[in-house]
Amino acid sequence: MEEMEEELKCPVCGSFYREPILLPCSHSLCLACARNILVHTPDSESPQSRRASGLSSSDYDYLDLDKMSLYSEADSGYGSYGGFASAPTTPCQKSPNGVRVFPPAMPAPHQPHHHSSGALLPPPSRHQCLTCPQCHRSLLLDERGLRGFTKNRVLEGVIERYQQSKAAALRCQLCEKSPKEATVMCEQCDVFYCEPCRLRCHPPRGPLAKHRLLPPAQGRVSRRLSPRKISTCTDHELENHSMYCVQCKTPVCYQCLEEGRHHSHEVKALGAMWKLHKSQLSQALNGLSDRAKEAKEFLVQLRNMVQHIQVQMFQLTENSVEFEACLVAQCDALIDALNRRKVQLLARVNKEHEHKLKVVRDQISHCTVKLRQTTGLMEYCLEVIKENDPSGFLQISDALIRRVHLTEDQWGKGTLTPRMTTDFDLNLDNGPLLQSIHQLDFVQMKVPSLVPAPPMLQLEECCTHNNSATLSWKQPPMSMVQAEGYILELDDGNGGQFREVFVGKETMCTVDGLHFNSTYNARVKAFNKAGVSQYSKTLVLQTSEVDNQPGVRFFYSARCSYGNSTVDIKKLVAVAWFAFDPGSAHSDIIFSNDNLTVTCNSYDDRVVLGKTGFSKGVHYWELTIDRYDNHPDPAFGVARIEVMKDVMLGKDDKAWAMYVDNNRSWFMHNNSHTNRSEGGITKGATVGVLLDFTRRTLTFSINEEQQGPVAFESMEGMLFPAVSLNRNVQVTLHTGLPIPGFYTSRASIQS
């Protein structure tokens, strides 16, 4: 029950809800807190003036006010109500829960209006606006003010039961002196028993064996559950709720139906819908309960991994003296070079250990928080199901069902898979070095004709394709010794250590999974029973250099340096061609056009990533706006693979983005908004994203013109193209494009 407490606290004051009201977005607020965050708006933006201009009140509430840009006079994206020049600047505050809220609006500088009783009244020329501190949706209040919102009686009942369950322990009702703490309650007898009294007065046999025994807290709750409450209509206080409007998703009375407010809507009996929604919530909880059980088992697995990693590290530490002695013995001939390498190897061991522990502990922390939130939601939903108020239940049931399904989805897609293994790859690879030492010592004793000659790389057949490299070689024409096989070695693309990537009899090999725009060194050697040949000359492969011939779109896929000569080989596929990735996208994303076009079936922002990640080179792609309704704020940029998929791109520290509406744009990273720039998007517009790892920058453009300054610097690591959008936007991805002119001209000026 304790984990449910966060569900019962107001996001503004951080305390248990007091007189909670239910907002149209399904979130709740204390009545007093709602009064504190009301914002006054001018008459020029009243609902009547909006209707006169052709927009309904709902359009105003959820299309215009539900935009961060209306509250963004500063680059942060938050602040005073900035839609009107007359509104004073009011800084935002943070609640105890960390949610940003707006303080009450300051009175206007003109003379206040006074009631005949002397009470100060707000100026009649201003209206009231309330912004939900959790989802930031805003709406204008009508003449009823806060009285127009429905009271969340279900939430009040759950809080009351929770607070009473936290009170003093229940006592046995049959103890004659100093009653002991009760351990059970009989539901049929309606009596609390301690363990001795239960064994004496309520034996588990005979006619009492069929009685149902409950824990004391649960028994107290069952005692306290009141008969079904009858709720009255908000608009007709003398009428009881008796029906449920399926389209409006709200209980209604007969007078509402007679007035025609729900004309042509599907209306069903209140009791039937109450039972249906209770059944749906119970079914949704079954799936979430399975996920919570898996999460608990997963946490046990992760904690065992931490212990296993620490045990392995302790064993390595115990054997470190012998390990270092072996290293020193192997390094006698080249003591200085090998000692430097020894220090590097030991540093890698410690770094690997720290990295493994950090990854597993971070996953434990994240999973623990998520499990606590899931358990709290489950307990809250179970308490809501116990509520006997059909009207109050139906007011929040849709939102709870969506939250349960969303939480269950968040536990999928690899969440319950360890991000790190417990194995340490610490075997010292000293074979090549020992082999070289042996060859040095005995070179004069070997018969030269027994060892194969070094192979020759065939430059005309060596090339790259996207992030793959194909190499071909042959034996020298005058070689008289047969080779039994070949060993191909490649470095890491940063001038690091060579690694074997192929061993076999073939004379051609394709290596996949290389980085774009990287320089790799390759070499080959032959072997037979007598030994291993010397290495061939080193082949240098440099990928993705742009050829700027006018009207021709092709690229150098490889530049092969061999000895003192250099050969350029042209290919048409050196840049990255990719589509959106359905496997890592949010479940609300809709794909079409071979995964090049995406939209969404939710009003909330959802994230989709590209299939290809980048860590080197210069990359440019574009997105055309196929559909743009009601002025939403799509976001474009790059993100890590673990970015949050259910919020706008840039809300966490795993994404770097530009979000834009029809008038202006902002850059956003880790929920920090910067560099507001004029100029927006419409249907048919083109948004460009340019990721330059050579300068470590991220730049954006709209319709082939740079939008704002360089958006972000110090870009590094593996980054994926990313977009966030809702159902009002559809975009199509275009890849394999040359670097745009505005960027190449700027680069030439800087150079």
Side-chain angles (χ1 to χ4, degrees), residues 34 125 202 276 295 335 352 360 580 629 692-693 698 725 733:
S125 61
H202 201 289
L276 175 62
I335 187 67
E352 181 72 6
V360 177
F580 288 115
D629 302 327
D692 187 348
F693 280 105
L698 181 64
L725 41 71
L733 176 66

Side-chain angles (χ1 to χ4, degrees), residues 497-721:
Q497 180 180 355
F498 279 91
R499 293 175 179 265
E500 291 183 3
V501 296
F502 168 78
V503 178
K505 296 181 179 181
E506 290 78 9
T507 58
M508 179 175 287
C509 175
T510 298
V511 184
D512 297 319
L514 304 178
H515 292 294
F516 292 100
N517 195 28
S518 301
T519 301
Y520 289 90
N521 296 300
R523 63 187 185 185
V524 187
K525 58 183 178 182
F527 65 88
N528 61 13
K529 294 180 180 179
V532 182
S533 74
Q534 298 293 321
Y535 285 106
S536 67
K537 293 182 180 180
T538 300
L539 178 67
V540 180
L541 301 174
Q542 180 180 345
T543 62
S544 189
E545 291 186 10
V546 182
D547 185 352
N548 290 319
Q549 294 183 23
V552 180
R553 182 185 294 175
F554 57 78
F555 301 83
Y556 291 124
S557 101
R559 172 172 291 169
C560 304
S561 299
Y562 192 73
N564 295 323
S565 61
T566 300
V567 179
D568 288 331
I569 307 169
K570 290 181 179 178
K571 296 289 179 183
L572 292 171
V573 285
V575 294
W577 302 81
F578 59 91
F580 288 115
D581 182 17
S584 63
H586 193 278
S587 58
D588 290 339
I589 296 294
I590 301 173
F591 295 84
S592 59
N593 189 24
D594 294 330
N595 297 335
L596 293 174
T597 300
V598 291
T599 184
C600 181
N601 60 16
S602 171
Y603 283 108
D604 297 319
D605 289 307
R606 300 294 186 243
V607 173
V608 57
L609 302 180
K611 270 197 171 182
T612 301
F614 305 110
S615 61
K616 295 182 179 181
V618 183
H619 308 279
Y620 177 71
W621 60 94
E622 292 180 347
L623 301 109
T624 55
I625 312 300
D626 303 330
R627 180 166 50 80
Y628 187 75
D629 302 327
N630 301 323
H631 309 310
D633 299 321
F636 310 90
V638 296
R640 310 262 186 230
I641 189 66
E642 63 269 21
V643 66
M644 296 172 61
K645 307 297 195 312
D646 56 352
V647 296
M648 178 185 285
L649 194 67
K651 284 284 188 179
D652 60 4
D653 62 350
K654 303 295 189 297
W656 296 258
M658 174 186 73
Y659 69 92
V660 57
D661 59 15
N662 60 320
N663 291 320
R664 50 194 172 177
S665 67
W666 287 264
F667 302 145
M668 182 163 62
H669 169 64
N670 201 15
N671 206 23
S672 175
H673 311 254
T674 59
N675 297 102
R676 184 176 70 179
S677 301
E678 297 301 322
I681 58 174
T682 58
K683 179 180 178 182
T686 299
V687 176
V689 184
L690 197 152
L691 179 60
D692 187 348
F693 280 105
T694 60
R695 294 184 173 86
R696 301 173 65 190
T697 60
L698 181 64
T699 309
F700 297 96
S701 64
I702 296 180
N703 295 330
E704 299 183 356
E705 292 187 3
Q706 183 170 337
Q707 181 73 357
V710 173
F712 300 100
E713 298 179 341
S714 302
M715 306 298 295
E716 59 184 3
M718 182 64 69
L719 298 174
F720 291 79

Side-chain angles (χ1 to χ4, degrees), residues 353-417:
H353 167 245
E354 294 170 0
H355 174 67
K356 285 180 179 288
L357 288 178
K358 182 179 183 304
V359 170
V360 177
R361 284 170 175 163
D362 287 349
Q363 195 171 9
I364 289 176
S365 175
H366 178 269
C367 194
T368 301
V369 172
K370 191 66 182 176
L371 179 60
R372 184 172 66 250
Q373 294 172 348
T374 300
T375 306
L377 177 60
M378 290 171 56
E379 292 178 354
Y380 174 58
C381 291
L382 290 174
E383 292 299 321
V384 169
I385 291 176
K386 298 175 185 177
E387 190 61 35
N388 288 330
D389 179 6
S391 173
F393 179 84
L394 290 172
Q395 288 170 344
I396 64 174
S397 58
D398 278 309
L400 282 179
I401 292 170
R402 288 195 303 270
R403 284 185 63 191
V404 168
H405 283 304
L406 178 60
T407 305
E408 182 181 1
D409 291 339
Q410 290 174 349
W411 279 111
K413 298 181 180 178
T415 308
L416 301 181
T417 303

Side-chain angles (χ1 to χ4, degrees), residues 23 63 143 169 180 193 213 235 240 267 289 291-292 303 477 544 595 605 661 677 692 747 751:
L23 303 182
L63 298 181
E143 63 277 358
K180 299 179 181 178
Y193 298 94
L213 300 180
D235 298 322
N240 296 331
V267 180
S289 176
R291 290 294 186 181
R303 292 190 177 99
S544 189
N595 297 335
D605 289 307
D661 59 15
S677 301
D692 187 348
S751 60

